[in-house]
Amino acid sequence: MTWNVCAGTNPYCSLYRRSAQDLAWNIGRYALTGPIKPDVIFLQEFCTGAAGALELWLEKQTGRMWTIQSWGLTSNDGTPYACHPDYQGGSRGSQSVTVAVADHAATFQTYPLTSPPWYVKRSALCATISAKRVKVCGTHLSAGLPNDDRQPGAPYRKQQIRELMAAAAKPGYRTVFGGDLNVAPPDSDYGSAAGRRAIVPAYKAYDECDQRGGRRTGRWTHTSTREDGNVTKKLDYLFAPKGSVRQCHVEQRTSTSDHMPLYVKVAL
């Protein structure tokens, strides 16, 4: 499962400034109620201060052992990119990329991604699960905004996706990677052409959870509100080895975040 929970700095999302316990409950219920019960969870715009609460909640409610690792984003000057405090003024840590693994021991590693020097640094957080011979990597890529990807050709997201794929690959292991990649699918009719081109190598090497046969697109996972109405896009992805995707689900009933949870079932 991957989900950008929009908890850190966006006041228009309902998890903004919510407590660690609230974050744990809202995230955990999607791990329990979806048609696919995840063994691995990727989170973006999660707060590092809530990792312990989420781990305890998942263990109590699922009866499984969970291991959670977070990587906190940093600003361009190296300082933590902090989540805004909760409603009582308490610190919630840094906005993060987080990976949760159930049952099996996992080795975590962070891979820095080439990032614009004028905005937050990006990384992929990977977990190697030796018992299953699986390597999983979650990330949150640059947004492609004028102050984040200003050169022609979306150079930062293009580089980041290539670096993410290199980090996720491990000989003899199955690879699953994804998260909020901040690009539109190649065959969609929205988003920048540069962004759509940036994601093409991933589709060539892997199957994406929700792609429609030969058409490289899928259901929307993100909604934004504008004066002329809501705009929906697919920005969230889960890639797995060719031929291994058995089921895909997009939970489009949530109003908790501006992103929807995305689930994939992969044959091992």
Side-chain angles (χ1 to χ4, degrees):
M1 166 184 161
T2 185
W3 189 22
N4 180 328
V5 298
C6 192
T9 59
N10 187 343
Y12 297 102
C13 292
S14 66
L15 293 181
Y16 172 72
R17 299 191 66 183
R18 298 280 284 273
S19 69
Q21 290 72 28
D22 284 344
L23 288 180
W25 184 85
N26 277 280
I27 295 165
R29 65 191 176 105
Y30 286 105
L32 288 177
T33 61
I36 299 172
K37 304 300 186 288
D39 299 306
V40 174
I41 300 171
F42 298 154
L43 299 173
Q44 306 88 45
E45 296 188 31
F46 181 65
C47 299
T48 56
L54 178 59
E55 185 174 286
L56 290 173
W57 195 98
L58 288 171
E59 290 183 344
K60 182 177 180 180
Q61 298 297 325
T62 66
R64 309 171 74 183
M65 294 296 297
W66 286 82
T67 304
I68 296 180
Q69 186 80 18
S70 291
W71 174 78
L73 278 67
T74 59
S75 299
N76 60 348
D77 61 0
T79 59
Y81 189 65
C83 286
H84 291 176
D86 64 26
Y87 285 116
Q88 285 69 48
S91 172
R92 298 191 300 156
S94 299
Q95 188 160 283
S96 73
V97 171
T98 294
V99 177
V101 177
D103 293 335
H104 300 289
T107 301
F108 294 88
Q109 187 170 358
T110 300
Y111 297 84
L113 304 177
T114 302
S115 302
W118 50 82
Y119 200 43
V120 295
K121 304 300 182 184
R122 306 287 178 167
S123 286
L125 179 60
C126 299
T128 301
I129 309 168
S130 297
K132 292 291 186 179
R133 300 192 70 77
V134 171
K135 187 173 184 181
V136 299
C137 296
T139 194
H140 187 185
L141 299 187
S142 293
L145 299 174
N147 67 336
D148 198 8
D149 221 349
R150 61 180 70 167
Q151 283 87 0
Y156 287 100
R157 287 174 294 167
K158 182 178 180 180
Q159 291 181 68
Q160 288 168 358
I161 288 169
R162 289 178 174 175
E163 291 164 353
L164 170 63
M165 293 172 63
K170 183 175 175 64
Y173 280 64
R174 286 186 176 268
T175 295
V176 179
F177 65 91
D180 179 358
L181 303 189
N182 265 320
V183 293
D187 297 328
S188 63
D189 57 358
Y190 52 84
S192 71
R196 294 196 300 270
R197 289 194 298 268
I199 194 67
V200 167
Y203 277 91
K204 286 183 177 179
Y206 296 89
D207 283 341
E208 204 280 319
C209 171
D210 204 35
Q211 68 185 89
R212 303 305 200 205
R215 183 165 170 76
R216 300 164 300 176
T217 186
R219 289 165 287 186
W220 62 272
T221 64
H222 174 266
T223 183
S224 57
T225 302
R226 301 192 317 198
E227 291 183 0
D228 56 350
N230 290 342
V231 177
T232 57
K233 300 177 180 180
K234 177 176 174 63
L235 298 180
D236 303 270
Y237 297 81
L238 287 168
F239 286 96
K242 293 285 187 181
S244 67
V245 174
R246 294 294 178 262
Q247 187 180 354
C248 186
H249 175 69
V250 181
E251 180 52 73
Q252 293 182 324
R253 295 176 296 174
T254 182
S255 60
T256 308
S257 170
D258 57 350
H259 288 254
M260 309 297 113
L262 173 66
Y263 307 73
V264 67
K265 184 176 183 179
V266 178
L268 299 180

